[in-house]
Amino acid sequence: MNAIAPGYIQTDMTEVINEKVKKEILSQIPLARFGKPEEISQLVDFLISEGSSYVTGQFIVVDGGYTKRIEF
């Protein structure tokens, strides 16, 4: 089983975010934009295809780099 963890995605829900808050969020996303719904659906398409038959047990974050990475 795999899991997808989307970050901020352009939806009706993100459209109502206050502009000041939205700018603050965008300043923390390395790609400087919200994701598009099709970027999530393309990953879903891949995960249900034969091309991902050897991908298992993954937690895939799709957030434009927003998640802070832990360095070892």
Side-chain angles (χ1 to χ4, degrees):
M1 180 183 336
N2 298 299
I4 299 172
Y8 287 96
I9 304 299
Q10 291 176 343
T11 64
D12 292 343
M13 192 167 82
T14 57
E15 287 301 311
V16 297
I17 297 174
N18 172 291
E19 284 302 314
K20 182 178 178 183
V21 173
K22 194 180 287 188
K23 285 182 183 180
E24 177 62 28
I25 293 167
L26 290 171
S27 75
Q28 297 176 46
I29 299 173
L31 292 183
R33 66 176 179 83
F34 289 159
K36 299 173 187 169
E38 54 269 20
E39 291 171 311
I40 302 302
S41 65
Q42 289 167 355
L43 176 57
V44 171
D45 287 345
F46 170 70
L47 289 173
I48 64 173
S49 76
E50 279 299 311
S52 72
S53 63
Y54 203 62
V55 178
T56 187
Q58 299 305 303
F59 184 81
I60 305 168
V61 178
V62 184
D63 67 359
Y66 179 73
T67 305
K68 305 286 189 260
R69 304 290 182 218
I70 298 172
E71 295 188 25
F72 294 95

